[in-house]
Amino acid sequence: MAHNTTTMKLWTLAEISGELATAPQISSTPGNNLITLNDNKSLCHLPYIFPFTDPSGSPWNAIGTYEGFAAIALAAQHLNAGDGSIVPEVAALANNTCGVKFNVAAFDTALSERIAVDQIIQITDRTNGQAIANGGPADDANVLLRPPCVILGAARSAVTMPTSLISGLRGFPQISPISTSPALDDKSQYRYFARTIPNDDGTSVPLIARLNSGSGDKNTGAKDESESWGVNHLAVLYVDDAYGNAFAQGIVLAAKEMAPGMKIETFSLAVNPDDAQIQRVIASMAESQYMYFFAILASSYDEIMTAAYNAGIAGTGKHTWLFSDGVGSEFTGRDFTVGSPLERAYRGTGTLSAQGGMPGMKAYDALVEGLRELGESVEDKEYLNSLLPNQGITNHTDVTDSDSYLTTPGFVAPFLYDAVISAGLSACNLEMNHNATDGSFALSGGDHYDAIV
């Protein structure tokens, strides 16, 4: 690989993109998830399967999809160049120590399970690569569909479940930065699934610990109320899908174990509820006379909170609403008219979420700085924009030209950076420990997954 002669930060990725454009050879060898280029370079292809748009086609960046893709590209660059500025272990890959290089691609699920499943089926279909290898047509759509080394995504657990089932059956590891359903821990179904975020069972425990001090000391029964809100009744509103069901059940089980005297009542909503269902469920929640609510939602936030306000269980100064991290920036950072129903309903609400780091943590600060430098580079921003999906259809500049783009990492970027570094270091370790007498290096999904986890 040539040395960088520009000020571009993502120069190794740009070089690889150029090589692929002129020599789109595609490995279709069973048991090998690497692409081989003309110079026998082994390439680990990292497709990112995530919602860049909403169903209307407008850009969607509630949890930092765009910043997440930039973090993926930054991690791949660091692996290719042996840059240990964020993860020191990566410096061991400098001077082409590793014979595997990394490139990235982006696919837009548009918040649709169907679209995500169709994409995974195509991306993991080795016959696409075989057709091109045999001299068949290589249109733009097929050129993108190179066999993945590791698939990054999806977002909601309800989408990650069917996609990781397919990718696992076809021998490809898949890592999600945000799918938290405990059901995904079932290796009999999701054979090669991993994640860089705790599952919902791990999130339920601190929630209950914060709300209720539990049964107290096992010997004396004394309770420490200093870190607890003293909540004895909690209403849980959840979306009726794999993510919501598992999370709600996790809260019930955590309360049963940690605070057996605490009463939990659950209320479910469809993934995309209509107004009638919202009104019915909110009315039932109001009848419970509970004062604390935890919401695990996927959509319709404003409609739900408006109904809660009208029912007298939000915006009163007496009722408390908390949300799971699935809300992203759907209501944080928004401007409301002071005194309006939504401003009152959201006033004092909070979110419970895992974090990929905090200011003051060395690695987190270095990632923030790395993303900021990408945002200040015209070349890097143009390159990232060229890789975004649905070009000519989606007005990505609504996000990428905004003043806030790449100034903060968003929610998923730290988890995605970790995912790529983990996948990269494990692939390189396998390659560097490969015995050349056994022939050329091949990376199977099983060996790679075992090395990752």
Side-chain angles (χ1 to χ4, degrees), residues 234-300:
L234 178 68
V236 177
L237 175 64
Y238 67 96
V239 60
D240 188 11
D241 66 2
Y243 164 65
N245 280 290
F247 202 161
Q249 184 62 23
I251 292 172
V252 171
L253 292 175
K256 183 178 180 180
E257 176 69 22
M258 300 173 60
M262 187 178 183
K263 294 183 179 180
I264 308 290
E265 189 167 353
T266 59
F267 302 85
S268 67
L269 277 173
V271 174
N272 293 299
D274 57 28
D275 289 341
Q277 187 190 25
I278 290 173
Q279 296 298 329
R280 287 196 304 271
V281 172
I282 292 298
S284 296
M285 295 175 71
E287 290 174 2
S288 73
Q289 298 186 27
Y290 284 12
M291 307 297 286
Y292 286 85
F293 306 91
F294 186 75
I296 309 162
L297 304 174
S299 64
S300 306

Side-chain angles (χ1 to χ4, degrees), residues 25-65:
Q25 283 80 2
I26 298 177
S27 167
S28 59
T29 306
N32 185 14
N33 293 344
L34 296 175
I35 299 170
T36 302
L37 297 180
N38 277 339
D39 58 0
N40 292 320
K41 180 188 301 174
S42 293
L43 196 62
C44 174
H45 184 55
L46 300 168
Y48 176 43
I49 314 298
F50 229 69
F52 283 82
T53 63
D54 63 22
S56 73
S58 299
W60 189 84
N61 201 36
I63 55 177
T65 296

Side-chain angles (χ1 to χ4, degrees), residues 286-372:
E287 290 174 2
S288 73
Q289 298 186 27
Y290 284 12
M291 307 297 286
Y292 286 85
F293 306 91
F294 186 75
I296 309 162
L297 304 174
S299 64
S300 306
Y301 309 98
D302 287 355
E303 292 82 359
I304 291 166
M305 293 308 291
T306 297
Y309 175 81
N310 291 334
I313 58 173
T316 64
K318 299 179 181 180
H319 296 81
T320 299
W321 283 76
L322 300 173
F323 295 85
S324 68
D325 52 23
V327 300
S329 60
E330 290 291 344
F331 62 81
T332 58
R334 287 169 56 189
D335 293 325
F336 298 99
T337 301
V338 176
S340 67
L342 280 179
E343 188 270 337
R344 290 177 177 272
Y346 283 128
R347 185 188 302 170
T349 59
T351 59
L352 178 73
S353 67
Q355 294 294 316
M358 297 178 65
M361 298 175 66
K362 184 177 180 181
Y364 181 82
D365 288 346
L367 174 61
V368 172
E369 178 64 14
L371 293 175
R372 184 190 62 77

